[in-house]
Amino acid sequence: DAGVTQSPTHLIKTRGQQVTLRCSPKSGHDTVSWYQQALGQGPQFIFQYYEEEERQRGNFPDRFSGHQFPNYSSELNVNALLLGDSALYLCASSLSVEGYTFGSGTRLTVV
Amino acid sequence: RKEVEQDPGPFNVPEGATVAFNCTYSNSASQSFFWYRQDCRKEPKLLMSVYSSGNEDGRFTAQLNRASQYISLLIRDSKLSDSATYLCVVRDNYGQNFVFGPGTRLSVLP
């Protein structure tokens, strides 16, 4: 049973570019949440998708957008990248009130 | 005030020591509580859920005090392999979003 898979694992982008990160949830999970984790800090909630809709959103600008597909997989898009967007981006999947299962993350470096 | 706050750390303890981590949360309507463990450059992994009655899993004991909005994690007989960052996590009152604390780093020394 595959857990949460994220791609790519590492990415280097130039300031101003756009990036798309991908996530496949654990089998049977229908909810996908995205988090940003800067070095030395706890994960910060970006948004959560359920039934292909953004159900909840954290304090992130509109440059951060997402999508969930009918197979529950999800994408995170970030436009107009800033140096401060450099972080580990974590995808977590869940089902109802269970705890999250995290993917291994995508490490984004903006130069 | 941050939604979830933790001891700033780091905690450096010798093998075999007992160490306790504290966490407070601001949303009194929070419903579920967890401790996650995160190794360096890895994803967080669920360590244990925290119940009002307290719960124990081997060397690990978690406690919840809803009146004080306080959560604790006790690690007994610490091992070198316990070295990691411990994240306190609170599920909001809508039962959907998980809010993470900043984490407390533990180093168990030989």
Side-chain angles (χ1 to χ4, degrees):
Chain A
D1 180 24
V4 180
T5 57
Q6 290 187 244
S7 62
T9 54
H10 295 83
L11 201 54
I12 298 175
K13 287 287 190 178
T14 303
R15 190 170 47 182
Q17 284 189 311
Q18 179 265 342
V19 68
T20 297
L21 310 182
R22 295 178 175 82
C23 172
S24 292
K26 183 177 178 180
S27 177
H29 285 185
D30 58 4
T31 302
V32 173
S33 303
W34 286 92
Y35 285 80
Q36 179 195 66
Q37 187 175 24
L39 201 60
Q41 298 182 22
Q44 298 296 310
F45 176 69
I46 303 175
F47 42 55
Q48 183 180 85
Y49 278 85
Y50 173 72
E51 292 188 343
E52 302 179 51
E53 296 283 336
E54 184 182 287
R55 181 160 68 177
Q56 200 168 358
R57 187 180 183 93
N59 294 323
F60 278 79
D62 293 343
R63 298 187 297 109
F64 289 77
S65 62
H67 191 79
Q68 185 178 35
F69 300 93
N71 66 353
Y72 305 120
S73 66
S74 177
E75 288 182 349
L76 163 65
N77 301 292
V78 187
N79 294 322
L81 284 167
L82 304 174
L83 297 179
D85 294 333
S86 295
L88 178 68
Y89 287 84
L90 294 161
C91 170
S93 72
S94 59
L95 178 65
S96 186
V97 297
E98 297 176 1
Y100 281 1
T101 300
F102 281 90
S104 54
T106 294
R107 190 163 297 280
L108 172 66
T109 302
V110 182
V111 298
Chain B
R1 182 185 172 189
K2 290 185 178 178
E3 289 190 66
V4 180
E5 298 192 63
Q6 295 185 239
D7 291 330
F11 284 40
N12 298 313
V13 303
E15 269 187 290
T18 295
V19 60
F21 301 132
N22 301 312
C23 169
T24 58
Y25 60 95
S26 60
N27 186 349
S28 59
S30 297
Q31 294 192 339
S32 306
F33 310 89
F34 308 88
W35 283 101
Y36 274 73
R37 170 196 169 126
Q38 186 172 27
D39 293 295
C40 188
R41 302 184 75 83
K42 299 282 189 181
E43 74 274 21
K45 292 187 178 177
L46 178 65
L47 179 65
M48 59 197 305
S49 302
V50 187
Y51 305 115
S52 297
S53 55
N55 48 301
E56 187 173 311
D57 182 2
R59 298 182 291 110
F60 298 83
T61 301
Q63 297 274 357
L64 167 64
N65 184 323
R66 284 188 183 269
S68 302
Q69 295 177 208
Y70 168 86
I71 306 161
S72 66
L73 175 68
L74 184 77
I75 305 176
R76 292 181 299 278
D77 187 24
S78 52
K79 312 292 185 190
L80 296 176
S81 58
D82 294 334
S83 298
T85 295
Y86 290 83
L87 296 159
C88 175
V89 184
V90 174
R91 192 163 203 161
D92 69 13
N93 50 312
Y94 297 104
Q96 296 161 3
N97 175 31
F98 279 31
V99 180
F100 284 77
T104 302
R105 188 156 61 87
L106 171 67
S107 292
V108 180
L109 308 173

